[in-house]
């Protein structure tokens, strides 16, 4: 995995100078992720932030009744866990890999050394501010697009435009990723099957031939 290429392609790091990107990429420690591997738990002490390189990672909190509540599902190019570097040294959420993947780890010591450089410090702060703007845009997106639109947007972003998808994520995980509950997502899949547009059986999701072409025309 070319860490520099990953960072350069990420919307989050857009506008950061090549020098800062190279310094950040050189400091990254690759960490292979297994399916359902826990990277850290809510309340656990930590000293590292992560950049997701491959796969998907789910952030979650534990409700008062013991249930796990999904906060977000991350895709490659996103950062997480950075709070422990600048605020408390306890992770405010848990993080779990939903499928085999790769994360790039940055320790507090590495980041502190990089922040000594004025150019890097300015770029890094700009990146954190950009993350806040992207989170605000996501909230707006979830409030203005219905579940069906969010589902197909997710497929396109995560896997590209195909008519047959070997699904590495469970239906429950996909529901969480698009900001809905499993029951609502199950009803959506049933409607799509009845309309002949999509069918998810076992680990395979199939779309009707020409689906993406028709969807593009309908926009």
């Amino acid at each position: 995995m070319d860490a520099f290429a990953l960072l350069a392609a990420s919307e989050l790091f857009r506008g950061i100078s090549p020098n800062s990107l190279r310094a950040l990429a050189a400091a990254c420690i690759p960490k292979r992720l297994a399916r359902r591997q826990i990277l850290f738990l809510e309340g656990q002490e930590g000293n590292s932030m992560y950049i997701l390189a491959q796969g998907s990672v789910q952030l979650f909190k534990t409700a008062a009744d013991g249930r796990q509540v999904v906060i977000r599902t991350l895709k490659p190019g996103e950062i997480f866990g950075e709070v422990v570097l600048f605020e408390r040294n306890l992770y405010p959420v848990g993080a779990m890999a939903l499928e085999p993947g790769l994360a790039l780890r940055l320790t507090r010591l590495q980041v502190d050394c990089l922040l000594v450089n004025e150019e890097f410090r300015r770029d890094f702060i700009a990146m954190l501010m950009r993350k806040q703007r992207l989170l605000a845009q996501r909230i707006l997106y979830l409030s203005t697009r219905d579940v069906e639109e969010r589902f197909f947007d997710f497929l396109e972003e995560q896997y590209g435009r195909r008519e047959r998808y070997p699904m590495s994520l469970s239906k429950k995980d996909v529901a969480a990723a698009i900001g809905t509950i499993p029951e609502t997502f199950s009803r959506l899949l049933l409607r799509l099957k009845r309309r002949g547009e999509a069918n998810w059986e076992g680990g395979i999701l199939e779309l009707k031939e020409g689906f993406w072409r028709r969807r593009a025309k309908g926009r």
Side-chain angles (χ1 to χ4, degrees), residues 27 44 74 108 120 122 143-144 151 187 193 210 215:
Q44 180 180 331
L74 307 176
R108 180 184 292 111
F120 181 87
R122 185 171 57 249
S143 67
T144 56
F151 174 48
R187 288 194 292 271
K193 183 176 182 178
R215 187 168 190 262

Side-chain angles (χ1 to χ4, degrees), residues 46-48 81-91 108:
N47 68 348
S48 299
E82 73 278 8
V83 171
V84 298
L85 303 189
F86 306 104
E87 212 174 309
R88 298 188 306 162
N89 64 343
L90 303 179
Y91 289 110
R108 180 184 292 111

Side-chain angles (χ1 to χ4, degrees), residues 7 16-25 117 119-121 123-124:
L7 298 176
I16 291 181
S17 71
N19 286 339
S20 293
L21 283 180
R22 275 191 286 270
L24 189 62
N117 180 280
E119 180 184 25
F120 181 87
R121 184 166 62 249
D123 282 343
F124 194 80

Side-chain angles (χ1 to χ4, degrees), residues 6 10-11 51-57 74-78 102 158:
L6 168 76
S10 170
E11 183 178 2
I51 304 166
L52 184 59
Q54 296 172 350
S56 54
V57 165
L74 307 176
K75 61 181 183 295
E78 296 194 78
L102 175 70
Q158 194 81 6

